[in-house]
Amino acid sequence: MGKYNIYRILLGDTPVHESEQKIIDFCSAEELLETKPLPGIVIIDGLKGKSASEGLKALLEIVKLRRSLEFCYAPIYLSQSMPQIDMIVDGITLNIEDRLTDAIAILERGRRIKPENLIDNHNLRVLTYMYVRGEEYAISPVCSPFSPWVYSYPEAALLLDSSNLSSKILKPEDYSGLERLRSFMFDKELVIALKIICFLEENGYIIKNTLADRIRKCPKCKTGHLNYVDMCPICGSIDFEKKNMIHCFVCGHVAPDTDFKKNMSFVCPKCGSILRHLGSDYDHPLESHECNDCGTKFIEPDVKADCLFCKTRTSANDLVVVNVYSYQLTEKGSAAARTGKMQMEVQLFDGQNNLILIYFCKMAEWLREYRSRYPDEIFSILGIKFTNLYETQNIFGEEFYEKLMDELISRIRAMVRTTDMTTSSAPDTFWVLLPRTSLGNSEIIAQRIEALNDLIETKTENKIEIKAKCFEIPVTENEISVEDYLIEFSERF
């Protein structure tokens, strides 16, 4: 176990933290970062934590630390509890000795991380932040009342710099309402954090943990600040009143009870009958509302939702229902954090001929055995590997990436016969089993697939590249499994 520095940022004149450990004091996060510090534990001290201005002061220091390579995943603590700030640090402590075990565990796991991998890679920063906090850690959503998005993941948002990231991730519709916000300066980062969390889940890096809440959003701008309005189901007016209605059994007239009151009795204003007995002369109908505009009487008003940002009026049934979850790392996410490499999932093949790897290998084993008896029954294996998928998506954006991949995938699928078997051994590596196809003929297919690289026109070194190679499994070496051969073949790409 390594020995780590403990840094204290003093933001006021009333420090309360006490410790027997050696602590290095700084006046600000900026002063600390200028020293190019080694990874360590950070304590923010000197504030009473009772005012909003002090909370904002602490938040700004935390943002500077989290956006740096040195402290983007480091343990950070407060000496005093602060509303809305407690949730984005690793804890509150008056004595760091109480937190040393957890803090050192975070830093020990962080020793496996190469800082250079985190430069301008915000997805990997989020995965690393989760990874160093252990297998049980879950990144949790937090309600942001002043944000139109209602829920986000501030721990992830702290790691982001919207000044150079928003143009790559956000679409124009994502900014709806942002310019009208006055009281929430951190909103753009929260939007980006939501996008990143969705991306990581869709690509298998994180998995849903617990359901935290269920909210409804505007179907047009996807914001969650809604005003629910009751209105007349006939004319749509909001000018109606709830009234006690009377139904005359003699003539069937229905009206508010005020229309029936005459002296000390109920008298029908239509037929003039005196209504003495409830149940035999009159009753109270289900209709209990009356519209002041059109005069319609109705049981329940219609409910519509008015979006406070785009002003769209929507039926309550047409609102977008969003489940809000906390998330944990998957094994794929942990591997990405450890290695600093993210692989994109590609659904290259689908249909009944796309097998899981173990069945693909069994089919190839059977063909090898079959060929040992009937030498004319040849077969070959075609390997296809995509490179730089994540880099392309990160540089050019999701929309460009999806269009490009859709085009490439459709062209590759057209080259595969219905009698060929397919599988994948990695998110970016695929195999095609070609019965009755010689190695020479399969190489023709490989050349056609690699020719698709000419379709990819991107002005960057890290562009998507398709590699296709053909292999033949020897009939005589039965002691080596097909799965072992695939591992060997994949190393040749």
Side-chain angles (χ1 to χ4, degrees):
M1 181 179 293
K3 184 173 179 59
Y4 299 98
N5 292 329
I6 302 175
Y7 307 106
R8 179 168 63 175
I9 297 177
L10 286 169
L11 299 180
D13 300 327
T14 57
V16 296
H17 181 268
E18 297 179 356
S19 176
E20 296 179 359
Q21 300 288 327
K22 181 181 177 182
I23 296 179
I24 308 171
D25 288 339
F26 295 91
C27 294
S28 66
E30 189 173 356
E31 182 184 354
L32 168 59
L33 294 172
E34 286 176 355
T35 66
K36 300 187 184 307
L38 295 172
I41 305 165
V42 178
I43 306 163
I44 297 178
D45 195 7
L47 298 175
K48 296 180 180 180
K50 295 181 180 180
S51 66
S53 61
E54 286 189 331
L56 180 59
K57 194 173 183 180
L59 173 63
L60 294 177
E61 299 301 312
I62 295 170
V63 168
K64 292 175 184 176
L65 291 171
R66 286 293 183 225
R67 289 181 179 174
S68 69
L69 286 178
E70 296 87 350
F71 297 101
C72 61
Y73 59 81
I76 299 177
Y77 298 95
L78 296 175
S79 62
Q80 294 276 20
S81 177
M82 297 184 187
Q84 305 301 316
I85 306 298
D86 295 355
M87 65 188 74
I88 58 176
V89 296
D90 292 288
I92 316 298
T93 181
L94 292 176
N95 192 327
I96 194 58
E97 277 85 356
D98 299 336
R99 299 282 186 167
L100 271 183
T101 301
D102 293 338
I104 290 176
I106 291 173
L107 294 170
E108 283 292 311
R109 283 188 286 267
R111 294 178 69 178
R112 306 177 187 177
I113 308 302
K114 294 181 179 179
E116 60 269 21
N117 292 332
L118 304 179
I119 299 174
D120 293 329
N121 194 330
H122 299 84
N123 293 321
L124 195 57
R125 282 195 179 200
V126 174
L127 294 179
T128 300
Y129 179 87
M130 297 176 68
Y131 168 74
V132 298
R133 280 157 178 77
E135 296 178 358
E136 300 300 319
Y137 173 78
I139 192 166
S140 299
V142 175
C143 182
S144 306
F146 297 106
S147 167
W149 322 106
V150 184
Y151 273 96
S152 189
Y153 299 82
E155 290 176 284
L158 286 170
L159 304 170
L160 312 176
D161 183 359
S162 64
S163 61
N164 59 18
L165 186 65
S166 59
S167 60
K168 298 179 183 179
I169 291 185
L170 296 186
K171 299 177 183 178
E173 57 267 27
D174 294 326
Y175 287 102
S176 177
L178 285 182
E179 301 306 321
R180 283 167 274 179
L181 284 176
R182 298 180 180 178
S183 57
F184 201 77
M185 58 171 295
F186 203 40
D187 200 84
K188 193 178 293 184
E189 284 82 355
L190 291 179
V191 181
I192 300 171
L194 280 172
K195 290 276 183 179
I196 288 179
I197 292 295
C198 290
F199 168 83
L200 294 176
E201 183 199 1
E202 289 170 358
N203 289 278
Y205 293 102
I206 58 177
I207 190 171
K208 293 171 183 173
N209 182 33
T210 57
L211 179 64
D213 202 353
R214 182 178 291 111
I215 61 175
R216 285 165 173 78
K217 294 188 174 184
C218 171
K220 183 178 180 181
C221 68
K222 301 301 185 296
T223 60
H225 283 187
L226 305 170
N227 180 40
Y228 292 90
V229 181
D230 297 334
M231 57 183 59
C232 172
I234 303 302
C235 70
S237 171
I238 62 173
D239 185 11
F240 64 86
E241 296 180 60
K242 187 171 184 178
K243 295 182 178 180
N244 188 22
M245 299 290 184
I246 287 181
H247 171 216
C248 174
F249 284 175
V250 178
C251 66
H253 182 59
V254 177
D257 61 359
T258 54
D259 293 355
F260 284 82
K261 288 181 179 179
K262 190 173 183 181
N263 298 325
M264 300 296 292
S265 303
F266 283 142
V267 179
C268 179
K270 184 177 181 181
C271 67
S273 300
I274 299 176
L275 309 179
R276 294 185 174 88
H277 304 291
L278 178 63
S280 58
D281 297 330
Y282 70 96
D283 67 358
H284 295 291
L286 293 175
E287 291 86 352
S288 59
H289 299 81
E290 183 179 34
C291 179
N292 292 329
D293 284 349
C294 68
T296 301
K297 301 171 184 64
F298 49 91
I299 300 173
E300 291 292 341
D302 278 353
V303 179
K304 302 288 185 180
D306 286 348
C307 178
L308 299 180
F309 281 88
C310 69
K311 305 303 180 183
T312 300
R313 175 165 286 181
T314 309
S315 171
N317 293 330
D318 294 331
L319 294 173
V320 178
V321 179
V322 178
N323 291 331
V324 183
Y325 293 91
S326 62
Y327 291 91
Q328 286 184 308
L329 272 186
T330 62
E331 182 54 41
K332 179 181 176 181
S334 296
R338 291 193 304 268
T339 62
K341 296 179 181 180
M342 298 181 70
Q343 292 179 311
M344 299 290 288
E345 293 282 0
V346 179
Q347 191 66 29
L348 179 55
F349 300 115
D350 56 9
Q352 61 183 6
N353 291 346
N354 190 43
L355 309 177
I356 62 175
L357 183 60
I358 186 173
Y359 292 135
F360 180 92
C361 293
K362 286 185 180 296
M363 180 62 71
E365 295 277 8
W366 181 84
L367 284 174
R368 180 168 66 174
E369 183 68 23
Y370 193 73
R371 187 183 178 189
S372 67
R373 293 195 175 199
Y374 306 99
D376 292 338
E377 296 298 327
I378 58 176
F379 72 95
S380 56
I381 291 179
L382 170 65
I384 304 171
K385 184 177 179 66
F386 291 84
T387 61
N388 298 321
L389 292 175
Y390 171 74
E391 288 80 3
T392 299
Q393 196 277 342
N394 198 35
I395 293 172
F396 294 100
E398 185 177 349
E399 185 176 358
F400 173 85
Y401 170 81
E402 289 181 353
K403 287 182 179 179
L404 178 61
M405 291 306 299
D406 286 345
E407 178 67 20
L408 294 176
I409 288 170
S410 64
R411 288 175 180 260
I412 293 175
R413 285 178 177 175
M415 300 180 194
V416 177
R417 304 168 300 187
T418 56
T419 54
D420 299 332
M421 300 294 176
T422 62
T423 191
S424 61
S425 58
D428 57 357
T429 306
F430 304 88
W431 305 96
V432 184
L433 185 59
L434 304 167
R436 302 184 68 83
T437 305
S438 66
L439 188 63
N441 288 337
S442 63
E443 286 176 347
I444 296 174
I445 301 175
Q447 291 171 4
R448 291 174 180 171
I449 291 175
E450 288 195 336
L452 295 177
N453 286 311
D454 297 335
L455 296 175
I456 306 171
E457 297 180 359
T458 54
K459 297 178 181 180
T460 176
E461 296 180 357
N462 294 326
K463 72 175 185 178
I464 292 177
E465 183 180 1
I466 308 171
K467 297 179 181 179
K469 292 186 179 296
C470 301
F471 307 97
E472 198 169 39
I473 296 178
V475 177
T476 55
E477 300 179 6
N478 291 332
E479 68 277 3
I480 302 176
S481 68
V482 170
E483 190 169 0
D484 289 337
Y485 272 118
L486 293 184
I487 294 173
E488 178 188 333
F489 295 158
S490 65
E491 293 174 352
R492 300 184 191 177
F493 282 107

